[in-house]
Amino acid sequence: MAPLPPLATPTGGSSAPLPPRTARSGCCSAHTCSPAAWRARLSWSALRDGLAFWLLGLANNSGYVIMLACANEISNGGVGMVYLAAVLPALVIKATAPYWFSKAPYGARATAVALLAAAAFLCVGLGTSFIPQILGVCLASLQSGLGEASTLALAGAYPGHRTLLTCWSSGTGFAGPFGYAWVAGWHTLGGLSLRKTVLAANVIPAVWSVAQ
């Protein structure tokens, strides 16, 4: 059997070298771990976006936590109903979001979140009976579910979405102690009435609007 002819080489007599393989360590490549990449991550725009998403997470969940902290004041004999009202509306929003989010732009949803939060605090703060106050809890739950689903979807449009999601998660986690500290500091320890404590929390939807 005749031997196979040798492989042809490019002009110049030597084969072109293969490009060097990128060294990887876990999910971090040489490019993303370079000093220039780290400087880009720490740029002003990245810090601004990270802070904004942290504040959005804090503002989004604080109202829900404040309602839970006030559950005994809202309904001394039906705390379970308050907890149910704080959970079910948010679940409805999250379950139905894929069917109608595309028809409502993010700006409209963000505005609705701020309005729902303000309305929730007004209902609980100004309400003198169980019905308007439990309505306020439901509105806070709607606000929380709508804000969470909308902001998480928005994060995917940013190049550094993983970092932004981390900032969001940190803000939502901080909302727990913040919400209880708000009620404990102003109402339980400070002696401020529940009405004034809840109405003062309208600063939270203002923070949400500023962070957009």
Side-chain angles (χ1 to χ4, degrees), residues 1-24:
M1 181 182 292
L4 295 174
L7 294 175
T9 58
T11 306
S14 61
S15 58
L18 293 173
R21 302 185 73 179
T22 302
R24 290 183 177 271

Side-chain angles (χ1 to χ4, degrees), residues 19-34:
R21 302 185 73 179
T22 302
R24 290 183 177 271
S25 174
C27 61
C28 181
S29 66
H31 173 70
T32 58
C33 290
S34 65

Side-chain angles (χ1 to χ4, degrees), residues 29 41 43 50 77 114 131 138 174:
S29 66
R41 289 182 181 183
S43 64
I131 297 300
C138 291
F174 193 77

Side-chain angles (χ1 to χ4, degrees), residues 52-188:
F53 271 79
W54 189 88
L55 288 173
L56 289 174
L58 174 68
N60 188 73
N61 283 26
S62 292
Y64 162 81
V65 177
I66 289 174
M67 297 305 172
L68 295 183
C70 297
N72 281 324
E73 303 273 358
I74 294 173
S75 177
N76 193 26
V79 174
M81 187 176 294
V82 176
Y83 276 76
L84 197 62
V87 173
L88 282 183
L91 289 179
V92 172
I93 290 290
K94 295 174 185 179
T96 61
Y99 302 102
W100 60 274
F101 263 30
S102 60
K103 300 177 182 179
Y106 175 80
R109 282 181 271 131
T111 302
V113 169
L115 294 176
L116 284 170
F121 292 131
L122 289 174
C123 284
V124 175
L126 300 178
T128 56
S129 63
F130 175 74
I131 297 300
Q133 290 187 332
I134 201 67
L135 174 62
V137 176
C138 291
L139 292 176
S141 180
L142 286 173
Q143 168 264 309
S144 176
L146 181 60
E148 180 176 338
S150 299
T151 310
L152 291 180
L154 175 69
Y158 285 79
H161 61 275
R162 291 184 179 178
T163 301
L164 298 181
L165 289 176
T166 300
C167 294
W168 162 269
S169 299
S170 175
T172 57
F174 193 77
F178 174 81
Y180 278 99
W182 181 276
V183 176
W186 290 108
H187 179 56
T188 308

